[in-house]
Amino acid sequence: MSGPSCVGKSPLIKAVRKVHPEISFRMPILYTSRAPRSVETEGVDYYFRSEQEIRSYPPERFIVGQIRNIWQALDLTEMQGLFAHSSLIIVEIYPTLGKLFRDHPLIRQLTADFEVYTVFISPATEEEIHALQINMGFATPQQT
């Protein structure tokens, strides 16, 4: 699942877990060079590392990419473990890193026996926000 920052990927995953607790899935934990948000926990939401550290990760073990002004990485060893022990895996990832992930030879090999779906979550347009505001009776777009 990919999309720009703050488009709602994490809240969507949390909602799925809450509404459908019977669906069991695993997710890898990405490395990021950005500072943690107030609601994020080290080793749960991300591994928070410096840009220099992430950029130094060996390419045989990590997929590393720049996302605007930050760097992120995904541990291929962790992915191998997830594929070995899980039947449903969700990867929440920024689109540019998602392409590197999808095209990586090891990931192609690991996903060969899985049904793979890619989902892009697009930000709402101004017109969509305005229509929602009118249809739901909100006074301002901030209420939507």
Side-chain angles (χ1 to χ4, degrees), residues 82-129:
L82 290 177
F83 277 98
H85 302 290
S86 304
S87 60
L88 180 58
I89 300 164
I90 296 177
V91 180
E92 177 189 339
I93 200 164
Y94 195 80
T96 51
L97 195 59
K99 180 169 177 19
L100 294 172
F101 174 79
R102 186 191 68 215
D103 294 343
H104 193 280
L106 178 61
I107 298 302
R108 287 182 179 243
Q109 177 187 349
L110 292 171
T111 60
D113 295 330
F114 280 76
E115 288 185 49
V116 178
Y117 299 92
T118 57
V119 176
F120 178 78
I121 300 177
S122 177
T125 65
E126 268 190 63
E127 293 81 24
E128 290 168 325
I129 293 170

Side-chain angles (χ1 to χ4, degrees), residues 35-91:
R37 296 175 182 142
S38 62
V39 296
E40 293 175 326
T41 303
E42 166 74 21
V44 174
D45 299 293
Y46 288 94
Y47 296 112
F48 298 96
R49 303 292 184 268
S50 71
E51 174 185 331
Q52 295 75 21
E53 185 175 349
I54 291 174
R55 291 179 73 179
S56 71
Y57 289 160
E60 61 275 3
R61 176 158 173 200
F62 291 89
I63 297 172
V64 176
Q66 186 173 13
I67 293 103
R68 293 188 318 272
N69 62 341
I70 65 166
W71 286 80
Q72 288 190 340
L74 187 124
D75 187 339
L76 293 168
T77 303
E78 180 185 7
M79 289 307 304
Q80 285 177 305
L82 290 177
F83 277 98
H85 302 290
S86 304
S87 60
L88 180 58
I89 300 164
I90 296 177
V91 180

